[in-house]
Structures are given as C-alpha cells and as structure tokens.
Amino acid sequence: MKKFVILGGGYGGLTVAQELLEGDIPKDTEIVLLDRMPYQGLKTEYYALAAGTVSEAEIRVAFPSDPRIILKYGEVSSVDLEKKLIYLEGQDPLSYDWLVIALGCVDKFHCIEGADVYAHSIQTLSASRKTYQALNDLKPYAQVSVVGGGLSGVEIASELRESRPDLNVRVIDRGASILSAYPEKLQSYVRTWFVEHGVEMRSHVSLHRVEPGVLHNKDEEILTDLTVWTAGIQPSPVVQQLDVPKDNQGRVLLNEYHQIPAHPDVYVVGDCASLPFSPSAQAAEAQGKQVAEVMTALWKGETPQLRPIKLKGVLGSLGKKAGFGMMGSRMIIGKVPRVLKSGVLWLSKHHFG
C-alpha cells in the first residue's frame, strides 16, 4: 500500500484529510494522519482557554472516523526527505510516498535572554493549559504583562480583563502602537477600548532580558507577576532542520502546487509555508483544500488547475461582546465582528470552516 502521510492535525492538515475523504482515494493508497493529540485543538481560541473563559472541551474537534484513514499519535523529531522517512520519538520510523508537513509554529523569542524560560505561552494546547493555571493562581491585584501587541496579544489581554477584573493587565510592544499592521482607525478603536477597560499599554519597549518578576527594557526594570508571550512565531523545529530553500522568516519556499520544488512529493501548509500573506488558520485551510485538489488531479493523471488563494479577512475579539476586523479594505468594529467570529468558530467545530 502507498502512504499519503499528513504531519499535524491542525487547520491545514485536517483540511487536507477531510477534502481527500470527500473524494475518491486510490484503492492502493492509505491516508495516515499523525498528531501529538487525539483531536484538533482550535488554536485561534487558545487565548480564551488561557484566560479561563472557555473550557478545553469547547475548543476540541474530533478527527475523522473513516476506514480509509489511519490515525497515528506521536511526536515528530525529524524528517529525512531523501529516504522518505519520518522519525518519531520512541517509535519506529514511518515511511511515506507523499507527505504533507503541517506542523504549525512555535514562539519566537528574538534572542531575548530568559524569555523562553520565564514567559508563558499560548502556542500549544499544553502550554495554554499551564498558562491558564498560572494566570488563575494569581492573587488579586497582581500584574500581568502581555508581551506583543499583535492580534494574539490584544485578544488575551482583553479576554483576561473580562475573566479577571481584579488583575492589572498591560500590553507591551516594541512598536508605536498595538495592532501596528492594521489601519490607524482600527488601532484607535482598540486603544480606546483598552483605556475604557483599564488595560495599560506600553509602546517602544525593547526588552533584552526576562527574569522572574522583572522585564528589562534597556536600563528600566518593568515589574510583573506573570508574563505572557505573544511577540512572534517561527516554523516548527522539525521544519527549521530541513535543508531546503526558505524565506527570511524560515518558512519553506514552494512551487505553485504547494510542493517543495526539489521534492514534489512533499507539500507544506500553514505556518511553515512561505506565502504572500501572514500565517493564519484561514490561509492554512485554503492551502489544505488546494493540496487535496492537486493530489486528486495527480491520482487521476490530470494537470492540477489552481486559482490564486483569496482570504476573506481577519477577525479579532475584545472579550465576549466586542471585536474588530478587516474584510478586504473595509474595517468593521463593535459587536458585529465579535458575532462573526463566534460563527466562524462554530463552523470550524462542525467541520464547515
């Protein structure tokens, strides 16, 4: 039997599996979905788990139950593209005929001393559980510092403000404003929400060291009881080890079919792929659909015909009652984007994303 192996059951990898199962899979081919967990964790909602406003069960999605797919669990340590082998911790290597690498990302600490040791993360379900425990063990009036004023930082700060109004919450960013990649009017709306809800904002902060209880900004010591890190991501260490061409963010350069040019039997989707737009669940799912299209065409002996990926937009939340978003060049703020985001979450949980 030939093996079509998918590494990672997140937004991209799971979409590949679902799309293939909706079509015709060659009788001599089996699909193997490998993940460290027995379910998908909805990563876009990890901030809410960490803040304590949703339970873990609410952000789990079951993997497909289908005789044509084999579910395998384990931790990938490396991939040998020449030998077509996947090495797993404590298990025998897994061979493949076709491979999808959808292993997601990890935090990027920008060589800031101590950040990887003393800051809390929301990049994995396991890390988010630990962050939840640490945040909710804090005594009233404790100071929480969220490092990184992008989408993730804004969402966890606002969610924590609603979850624990007794805490002091601040967002720290090295830029001039939170959400610096977004239009000024949207930034202003979120800044106003933060001011009205008592979330402190610190801009132009260049940290060089993180210690227990202290963030070092040049000669300034910023006191904190707990630090949450949302200041950047980078591809999975497994992808970092691959000796293939990458962009300046460490993401793998691909051809028009999402394949590694020197290894056309290997696809890369999601946060590990070099794309013309920022990493997101939406981009990973769009890629996943196209990888399934490519494989279906190749199995039929046809030339794949792909259209350019067009993303619908970005949605962010400010607690449970307000939000913001960009739909193309159109900005939306207030209750509507929050309702839309809840709808997108429902679709993802029911495999309609």
Side-chain angles (χ1 to χ4, degrees):
M1 291 287 283
K2 295 181 179 179
K3 291 182 181 177
F4 183 94
V5 180
I6 303 170
L7 299 185
Y11 294 100
L14 186 54
T15 298
V16 175
Q18 291 168 340
E19 293 290 318
L20 289 178
L21 291 174
E22 290 182 4
D24 294 324
I25 301 169
K27 293 182 179 180
D28 65 344
T29 300
E30 60 185 12
I31 300 175
V32 179
L33 177 61
L34 189 148
D35 198 275
R36 62 161 64 100
M37 301 185 299
Y39 43 77
Q40 179 198 13
L42 295 176
K43 191 172 183 177
T44 59
E45 304 304 307
Y46 285 178
Y47 74 91
L49 173 64
T53 57
V54 301
S55 69
E56 184 175 319
E58 293 179 69
I59 57 172
R60 292 181 184 176
V61 175
F63 287 145
S65 178
D66 190 296
R68 296 171 296 168
I69 186 170
I70 297 171
L71 301 178
K72 185 174 177 64
Y73 308 114
E75 191 77 32
V76 179
S77 57
S78 63
V79 175
D80 189 323
L81 298 177
E82 302 300 331
K83 295 181 180 178
K84 303 182 77 168
L85 288 175
I86 301 155
Y87 292 94
L88 306 170
E89 293 182 5
Q91 300 184 50
D92 292 334
L94 176 65
S95 63
Y96 66 86
D97 293 279
W98 302 278
L99 177 65
V100 176
I101 300 176
L103 292 172
C105 62
V106 295
D107 287 300
K108 186 172 184 178
F109 295 105
H110 308 282
C111 299
I112 297 173
E113 182 184 349
D116 59 334
V117 178
Y118 300 114
H120 289 76
S121 171
I122 56 172
Q123 283 302 323
T124 68
L125 193 56
S126 177
S128 299
R129 290 188 192 111
K130 295 175 183 177
T131 301
Y132 162 77
Q133 186 70 51
L135 283 170
N136 285 277
D137 281 347
L138 289 174
K139 295 180 180 179
Y141 313 117
Q143 177 68 62
V144 177
S145 298
V146 179
V147 179
L151 180 61
S152 295
V154 165
E155 288 193 313
I156 191 168
S158 57
E159 199 80 6
L160 189 60
R161 165 51 66 234
E162 290 194 354
S163 172
R164 289 287 305 270
D166 57 291
L167 297 177
N168 295 301
V169 181
R170 73 160 66 97
V171 177
I172 295 173
D173 197 82
R174 59 185 174 183
S177 171
I178 56 174
L179 298 175
S180 58
Y182 294 82
E184 168 57 31
K185 187 175 180 181
L186 189 149
Q187 294 178 35
S188 177
Y189 169 75
V190 177
R191 287 196 301 264
T192 299
W193 192 96
F194 273 5
V195 170
E196 292 175 349
H197 291 79
V199 177
E200 180 188 357
M201 290 167 282
R202 289 287 308 271
S203 58
H204 297 299
V205 175
S206 297
L207 299 179
H208 63 88
R209 188 164 76 252
V210 175
E211 294 179 344
V214 184
L215 304 174
H216 294 271
N217 173 40
K218 299 178 181 178
D219 296 328
E220 177 191 14
E221 292 187 349
I222 302 175
L223 301 182
T224 185
D225 292 296
L226 188 144
T227 302
V228 180
W229 197 265
T230 64
I233 58 174
Q234 59 185 336
S236 159
V238 173
V239 170
Q240 293 180 36
Q241 296 169 17
L242 293 180
D243 185 18
V244 296
K246 299 169 185 172
D247 62 18
N248 58 9
Q249 299 296 317
R251 300 183 178 105
V252 180
L253 296 173
L254 306 171
N255 63 19
E256 67 270 32
Y257 300 126
H258 310 295
Q259 301 162 330
I260 299 178
H263 302 275
D265 48 2
V266 180
Y267 302 81
V268 183
V269 303
D271 300 337
C272 298
S274 181
L275 300 173
F277 25 72
S278 299
S280 67
Q282 186 182 166
E285 289 176 341
Q287 260 196 300
K289 290 180 180 179
Q290 291 200 341
V291 168
E293 288 181 38
V294 171
M295 280 310 306
T296 299
L298 294 179
W299 282 333
K300 293 179 179 179
E302 301 173 353
T303 300
Q305 301 292 328
L306 300 181
R307 296 181 179 179
I309 291 176
K310 294 184 178 180
L311 303 183
K312 297 177 181 177
V314 179
L315 294 169
S317 66
L318 293 170
K320 300 301 185 189
K321 298 179 180 179
F324 56 90
M326 293 296 300
M327 299 290 113
S329 60
R330 180 189 175 195
M331 182 185 79
I332 51 175
I333 56 177
K335 293 183 179 180
V336 171
R338 189 64 185 91
V339 171
L340 289 175
K341 187 178 181 191
S342 296
V344 170
L345 175 61
W346 186 91
L347 292 171
S348 295
K349 289 173 67 173
H350 295 83
H351 296 309
F352 297 130

